[in-house]
Amino acid sequence: MTDSDSYLLGRTEAEAERLKRQIMTLAPDSREQLDRLGIRPGERVVDLGCGPGGVLHLLAERVGPGGSVLGLDRGHEFVALARRFVAERGLTQVEVREGDAYDTGLPKRSFDGAHMRLLLVNVPEPERVVREAVSLVRPGGWVASFEADYVPHCFDPPLPAWSRLLEAYTAHARAQGIDLSVGRRIHRLFRGAGVTDIRVDAIIHVFPAGHERRGFPRSLIANSRGKLVEGGFVARDDLERDLAALESHLSRPDVQVTSNLFFRLTGRLPD
């Protein structure tokens, strides 16, 4: 996201596939958040860290053909996928560009609203991204952030292998300056950037057998396995052993899988 792209989960093909599945699985939660914003047809909005599609279609629905949506992402691979996603859906009001969420280069106060989803939990210095997003919004405009707190993610019966894997992943994130519990403090980040009328809610899910999101813990580790081993956070043999145990555990219908917390924030800029 800066001079060296520091997106925690990387930009591998496996990560792109996970994000494409996430577009649909998180859509209901994002729809609820966007509905309470009261986005009007004709608005001009920006989505920072849009990935291979994110919520571009949901924002396009709300601004209508007379509005515009600009999606930005640092990775050219994700930009190409997002452009395909937009083209396949005929979203002519959506444009996707390669850009840095820390320093977009976009005109200040030129958008009616700014949105980001699961961006801050994957990059260092989230306060810089928040300040940049807020600077792009006109007085009286809106901001929306959908962020994670990984700590509550758990299984019942519990699995020691998952505890070890999550500990290694957390250490890897911490070494990159990334806070896996940033969701719980986004209210402070936006308030510190001058946002008012802040509203936050938190949601958590229990995923039944067969639900796509049950596989998220495995994807989280598998998509980062190279960095975890190379960084010395876990030995390769230990990682593969624990990852196999995790996969077996997740396949059991009697295992309850509870998601991480998601914090959904909305706010306004002073007039």
Side-chain angles (χ1 to χ4, degrees), residues 128-190:
R128 289 180 54 204
V129 177
V130 170
R131 288 198 302 266
E132 176 67 11
V134 171
S135 77
L136 300 177
V137 179
R138 64 167 176 80
W142 57 265
V143 295
S145 177
F146 184 118
E147 276 303 336
D149 181 338
Y150 283 162
V151 172
H153 211 308
C154 65
F155 312 127
D156 191 76
L159 179 69
W162 168 242
S163 299
R164 292 190 294 268
L165 290 170
L166 184 58
E167 182 178 346
Y169 185 79
T170 302
H172 165 54
R174 190 182 304 116
Q176 313 307 311
I178 293 172
D179 179 7
L180 296 182
S181 294
V182 70
R184 67 181 68 177
R185 62 186 180 97
I186 55 174
H187 70 106
R188 281 192 280 129
L189 297 179
F190 280 90

Side-chain angles (χ1 to χ4, degrees), residues 59-257:
L59 292 168
E61 288 174 3
R62 283 153 181 80
V63 303
S68 68
V69 178
L70 175 60
L72 289 182
D73 199 274
R74 177 68 173 80
H76 64 271
E77 307 94 335
F78 286 0
V79 168
L81 289 170
R83 286 173 175 165
R84 185 183 310 165
F85 175 82
V86 166
E88 288 172 350
R89 287 158 180 77
L91 304 176
T92 56
Q93 71 274 56
V94 179
E95 178 187 2
V96 183
R97 297 183 198 168
E98 191 169 333
D100 188 335
Y102 290 112
D103 184 10
T104 63
L106 296 169
K108 304 304 183 187
R109 301 196 287 185
S110 60
F111 293 89
D112 296 297
H115 173 274
M116 62 185 79
R117 185 174 76 181
L118 299 178
L119 172 60
L120 303 180
V121 76
N122 282 303
V123 298
E125 300 182 275
E127 64 279 356
R128 289 180 54 204
V129 177
V130 170
R131 288 198 302 266
E132 176 67 11
V134 171
S135 77
L136 300 177
V137 179
R138 64 167 176 80
W142 57 265
V143 295
S145 177
F146 184 118
E147 276 303 336
D149 181 338
Y150 283 162
V151 172
H153 211 308
C154 65
F155 312 127
D156 191 76
L159 179 69
W162 168 242
S163 299
R164 292 190 294 268
L165 290 170
L166 184 58
E167 182 178 346
Y169 185 79
T170 302
H172 165 54
R174 190 182 304 116
Q176 313 307 311
I178 293 172
D179 179 7
L180 296 182
S181 294
V182 70
R184 67 181 68 177
R185 62 186 180 97
I186 55 174
H187 70 106
R188 281 192 280 129
L189 297 179
F190 280 90
R191 191 170 287 110
V195 176
T196 61
D197 194 24
I198 288 176
R199 294 179 56 198
V200 182
D201 69 354
I203 53 177
I204 193 165
H205 297 286
V206 175
F207 300 121
H211 195 287
E212 194 275 334
R213 289 290 293 181
R214 281 174 71 96
F216 173 71
R218 183 193 179 282
S219 297
L220 186 74
I221 304 302
N223 292 0
S224 308
R225 69 200 326 155
K227 293 180 179 179
L228 293 177
V229 172
E230 292 162 13
F233 301 103
V234 62
R236 185 176 299 278
D237 289 348
D238 292 341
L239 183 147
E240 297 302 336
R241 179 201 64 219
D242 285 347
L243 198 53
L246 174 61
E247 189 159 8
S248 175
H249 200 64
L250 290 171
S251 70
R252 289 172 46 187
D254 63 322
V255 172
Q256 177 175 279
V257 178

